[in-house]
Amino acid sequence: MLKKTVIILFLSFPQWLSAAQTTYEKDTPITLSDNSHVTIPAGWRFDAAAQKLTSPEGDLNVYLVKKPFTGKAEQIALSTWQAVNKHFNFKLTQNDSEVPEDDWDYDYKLNYETPVKQNRMVFSRLRVFKGIAYLILLDGSKGGLDKRAAQFWLVDSTWRPENFKKEDISQHQIKTFSSSDVLEMDRFIAKATAALDVTGAAVAIVQDGKIVYRNAIGVKTLGEKEPITSDTMFMIASMTKPLMTLMLSKLVDQEKLTWDTRLNEALPAFALVDKDITSKFLIKHAACACTGMPRRDYELDVGSKIKTADDVVKQLNTLLPTTGFGETFQYSNTLVAVGGFAGANVYGKGTDLFNKYENAMSDLVFTPLGMSSTRVKPTADDETRLASPHARGFDGKMTRIPQTLDDFVYPIAPAGSTWSTVDDISKYIMMELRNGKDANGNVLFSAEQIEKRRTPGVSIGDTANYGLGLFIENNKGVTLIGHGGNLYGFTSDMFFLPNHNTGIVVLTNTGSANEFRTYLKQKLLEVLLGAEPKSNQMLEFGAKRNKALFAARRARVSTKPKATRWLADYVGRYENADLGPVTIKKSANGYQLITPIWTSDIGSITEQNGEKLLSLISAPWGPFDDYQFNVQKQPKQLILNDAQVKYVFDAVR
């Protein structure tokens, strides 16, 4: 409706619209009438009178509202929404009081329940500065936000009052890591793993060419005694991406390809729906997150049709970018995988694409760096060193989950299948800090190609960019370069400070442990660079927030027989062309949804409008990985909404 309204106004009143609204061709900082500042993203329309931004497709509307901070945040946000839309009656589902950054006094994030079938996002952010509330209201399609999230973050991160000050530690001298720092990090990690229920973690800090800190805490498997050590192997997930682009950079050094080699020249099987667009994709585009290719992860972790590297390449045969080249940040694991397989195909050593990729990574990256405990896929000999994956389910309790839940990543190995240890990733970080050289000064990778990977590309808000498989972040005035990773049962992070010869790696066998790695980043900046001490306060907030999220989910999802009785009408087998089959069946404890890969118990949700949803409740399907299906009786269907795709499962007779 919002998109249609904008189009009608444009057709009916073009002169009025052009006078009232401005469409910006590039990211443009402006000063508003109250002397606050904001950057309008390229392609967005801005109505100065209404202080309203509209995305290029017209399916996202963002309002900037300033008013006195009196009363409760949720009441202020509600009254503001009702001023924008007098029919606004969405139920508040989440109200987080974040630890405020910089000069803000308070920071609240408020989410509202919208009908799942609408695939709509309604969100408020309310921050307070000197008694004035600055509200950002977002209303629009989840698909639009999925495409334009980085541009929305630009608005969110740049709307600031006049005379607002940001924390800046760029002039602080970095400390040499000391024995007292070791004790402080030990205490914080012990406190954080306990508060956030992290099963096990290994952490290492490197400085001036050596490992100055190691910590291994927790166990490999819940219920067993074997501890995590620095020798434990974890899945590092998307931390694989910078290692993959390192492999590509070596092939560039060897003149076997260039970053401007066409992707389908290196891998002839690569093709999109449109041949002309296919020809525009170069090797560098596979790793830049800048092409507009959408994320299609459901086809990997829910679907059962993508089993090999060749299947991943074929998946792209049916796709096209949903935004223009260089327009905004969109993250496609599939495209990254194809880039890695293209490089491996050029290297040419092996049988199939996966085997070629294993050999390319081993020969060009792992062996030169001395990463003897790093694998694209572990062997039987590694079995005793592997950490087990863990995640929370409906009850909020941490539990071991089957490794098969994370094995979906092997067909897209260059995007995230690697197993490694903190010591091995430390070797990689030290090479980055030496700009491609080993400890003896030998050139392993040219400085030119190391720098190429770190060159800021597409922007993510106003303080971060994506290079080639690397995030480049300005954090409080300090440059941080790295990449994190998430799977259902593992969370990882790695970053280094190129101007301070320091870096850190964090590996855990716990899914959705993003707070843990975020708070460790903050702690490191406090310990070594004197950042404002907020890590303990952040940790306290994060622990409370997690408990609140699980409590809210248990209140919303029912597993009682009376509430799930309606699911009996949907028992049977269903099929989707892209994801394959699923089955709903009656179980001893209620109902289950079964795919060829995994099985989950089902709970029932009754939405505000009375419609029923089925929700997966077995680990890892918690608030952070929440799968909800709409249902339809005639014809009988299950409907799963991804942000930019709707997957319809038809009943099979």
Side-chain angles (χ1 to χ4, degrees):
M1 289 297 292
L2 290 170
K3 183 176 182 179
K4 186 176 180 181
T5 302
V6 170
I7 293 173
I8 291 172
L9 284 172
F10 180 77
L11 293 175
S12 302
F13 309 104
Q15 293 180 339
W16 173 84
L17 185 64
S18 61
Q21 299 191 20
T22 303
T23 299
Y24 290 85
E25 295 182 1
K26 61 180 181 179
D27 295 348
T28 305
I30 65 171
T31 301
L32 303 179
S33 58
D34 64 352
N35 289 323
S36 64
H37 309 280
V38 69
T39 298
I40 309 299
W44 286 57
R45 294 191 301 277
F46 181 60
D47 182 334
Q51 293 203 171
K52 172 185 173 184
L53 298 92
T54 304
S55 64
E57 294 83 5
D59 58 352
L60 282 179
N61 288 290
V62 178
Y63 302 85
L64 308 179
V65 182
K66 177 181 168 183
K67 57 174 38 178
F69 183 61
T70 56
K72 294 183 178 180
E74 59 223 55
Q75 293 170 339
I76 296 171
L78 177 60
S79 66
T80 308
W81 273 114
Q82 290 173 339
V84 169
N85 174 10
K86 65 180 180 180
H87 301 296
F88 186 91
N89 65 347
F90 293 119
K91 179 182 177 183
L92 181 68
T93 58
Q94 185 178 342
N95 179 2
D96 288 341
S97 178
E98 299 265 7
V99 177
E101 295 180 341
D102 303 320
D103 244 5
W104 295 114
D105 299 314
Y106 303 100
D107 185 356
Y108 300 92
K109 293 180 179 178
L110 303 98
N111 287 323
Y112 300 85
E113 178 184 323
T114 59
V116 167
K117 66 168 51 176
Q118 289 185 10
N119 213 25
R120 179 180 179 185
M121 171 68 76
V122 177
F123 166 83
S124 307
R125 188 165 193 180
L126 186 159
R127 285 170 288 198
V128 180
F129 178 70
K130 296 183 178 179
I132 301 297
Y134 290 76
L135 292 102
I136 295 179
L137 311 181
L138 180 145
D139 186 358
S141 74
K142 289 183 179 179
L145 185 60
D146 195 54
K147 287 186 282 191
R148 303 285 175 183
Q151 292 181 314
F152 169 71
W153 295 334
L154 180 63
V155 177
D156 179 73
S157 60
T158 58
W159 189 34
R160 296 290 183 266
E162 187 180 19
N163 300 321
F164 184 89
K165 294 180 181 178
K166 299 181 70 173
E167 184 181 3
D168 189 334
I169 58 174
S170 60
Q171 301 306 308
H172 294 195
Q173 293 297 312
I174 194 163
K175 288 175 55 182
T176 299
F177 204 79
S178 66
S179 57
S180 62
D181 297 328
V182 169
L183 293 175
E184 186 170 355
M185 290 297 294
D186 281 349
R187 285 193 293 267
F188 184 78
I189 289 172
K191 183 178 178 181
T193 52
L196 299 173
D197 202 15
V198 174
T199 304
V203 179
I205 296 171
V206 302
Q207 191 173 55
D208 298 328
K210 59 182 181 293
I211 296 177
V212 295
Y213 177 81
R214 283 189 186 90
N215 189 336
I217 191 169
V219 293
K220 290 182 181 178
T221 305
L222 272 178
E224 299 181 10
K225 295 181 179 180
E226 189 172 1
I228 297 291
T229 70
S230 60
D231 195 46
T232 300
M233 295 172 66
F234 299 79
M235 290 192 94
I236 67 172
S238 286
M239 196 194 293
T240 297
K241 291 177 172 69
L243 297 174
M244 186 278 286
T245 61
L246 197 62
M247 180 267 286
L248 293 178
S249 74
K250 189 64 177 180
L251 292 172
V252 174
D253 279 339
Q254 294 176 347
E255 299 184 348
K256 293 183 178 179
L257 52 72
T258 73
W259 291 109
D260 292 325
T261 298
R262 281 171 39 175
L263 199 49
N264 63 352
E265 180 183 332
L267 187 65
F270 168 73
L272 304 175
V273 172
D274 187 301
K275 290 183 179 179
D276 290 336
I277 294 177
T278 300
S279 67
K280 294 179 181 178
F281 274 76
L282 311 178
I283 288 291
K284 63 186 177 185
H285 292 137
C288 70
C290 67
T291 65
M293 287 300 293
R295 192 166 186 156
R296 299 283 288 256
D297 288 353
Y298 277 158
E299 291 166 35
L300 301 166
D301 55 10
V302 175
S304 57
K305 294 196 169 185
I306 296 179
K307 299 177 180 178
T308 67
D310 289 323
D311 294 337
V312 170
V313 179
K314 290 176 184 176
Q315 182 203 36
L316 291 173
N317 296 163
T318 63
L319 302 183
L320 282 174
T322 58
T323 52
F325 272 52
E327 197 171 316
T328 187
F329 174 85
Q330 284 208 68
Y331 192 85
S332 168
N333 282 309
T334 306
L335 185 60
V336 172
V338 167
F341 290 136
N345 198 50
V346 168
Y347 186 62
K349 179 181 174 182
T351 52
D352 55 29
L353 279 180
F354 184 86
N355 181 238
K356 288 178 181 179
Y357 175 69
E358 283 188 302
N359 290 330
M361 291 300 292
S362 178
D363 294 352
L364 303 180
V365 179
F366 303 156
T367 298
L369 287 173
M371 298 172 69
S372 58
S373 296
T374 303
R375 316 273 188 272
V376 170
K377 189 175 185 178
T379 67
D381 292 339
D382 299 318
E383 192 69 31
T384 58
R385 300 174 59 195
L386 305 182
S388 301
H390 298 82
R392 297 181 185 88
F394 176 68
D395 58 6
K397 294 180 180 178
M398 194 62 66
T399 184
R400 180 182 181 178
I401 60 174
Q403 179 59 50
T404 51
L405 278 167
D406 280 333
D407 287 348
F408 76 84
V409 79
Y410 288 120
I412 55 163
S417 79
T418 307
W419 290 77
S420 191
T421 66
V422 288
D423 281 4
D424 268 14
I425 300 299
S426 295
K427 293 174 184 177
Y428 159 74
I429 292 174
M430 286 187 280
M431 178 280 300
E432 289 274 12
L433 291 170
R434 291 189 292 259
N435 293 313
K437 295 180 180 179
D438 67 14
N440 297 316
N442 300 309
V443 176
L444 302 177
F445 306 90
S446 71
E448 178 185 358
Q449 297 310 322
I450 291 293
E451 184 62 29
K452 175 71 174 178
R453 293 164 56 251
R454 301 179 191 175
T455 302
V458 66
S459 65
I460 310 168
D462 77 323
T463 60
N465 295 80
Y466 202 72
L468 296 177
L470 285 164
F471 289 95
I472 302 98
E473 176 187 358
N474 181 328
N475 192 314
K476 304 174 182 63
V478 176
T479 298
L480 274 60
I481 300 176
H483 212 296
N486 289 98
L487 288 168
Y488 287 124
F490 296 91
T491 304
S492 63
D493 202 11
M494 170 279 301
F495 67 88
F496 53 93
L497 289 66
N499 300 323
H500 297 84
N501 209 16
T502 299
I504 186 171
V505 55
V506 181
L507 304 179
T508 80
N509 58 345
T510 302
S512 300
N514 293 331
E515 293 99 339
F516 180 68
R517 65 185 189 184
T518 298
Y519 305 158
L520 271 182
K521 176 187 288 187
Q522 172 67 24
K523 187 65 178 179
L524 185 69
L525 294 178
E526 292 171 9
V527 168
L528 293 183
L529 278 164
E532 187 177 341
K534 292 185 176 180
S535 54
N536 285 309
Q537 187 182 358
M538 292 166 70
L539 176 57
E540 182 180 348
F541 159 76
K544 288 181 179 178
R545 174 181 176 271
N546 284 349
K547 290 179 181 178
L549 283 174
F550 280 99
R553 186 151 193 263
R554 287 193 294 273
R556 188 167 185 249
V557 183
S558 179
T559 58
K560 295 179 180 179
K562 185 177 180 180
T564 59
R565 189 179 300 155
W566 65 274
L567 289 168
D569 293 338
Y570 293 90
V571 168
R573 180 180 169 90
Y574 299 79
E575 183 88 25
N576 174 267
D578 294 311
L579 301 186
V582 300
T583 300
I584 294 179
K585 77 168 190 176
K586 187 80 172 68
S587 69
N589 298 318
Y591 293 88
Q592 291 181 322
L593 186 139
I594 303 167
T595 79
I597 306 169
W598 47 260
T599 297
S600 175
D601 292 331
I602 302 172
S604 172
I605 295 175
T606 301
E607 294 193 283
Q608 194 173 347
N609 61 6
E611 293 206 17
K612 303 284 189 182
L613 307 174
L614 66 87
S615 179
L616 305 187
I617 61 173
S618 297
W621 321 118
F624 309 110
D625 292 297
D626 195 4
Y627 281 69
Q628 298 174 356
F629 291 75
N630 287 108
V631 296
Q632 182 171 292
K633 280 193 174 183
Q634 296 296 330
K636 189 178 289 188
Q637 294 174 331
L638 306 179
I639 302 165
L640 178 63
N641 275 313
D642 197 359
Q644 297 186 53
V645 188
K646 180 166 74 172
Y647 297 100
V648 177
F649 293 81
D650 294 304
V652 178
R653 296 182 180 179

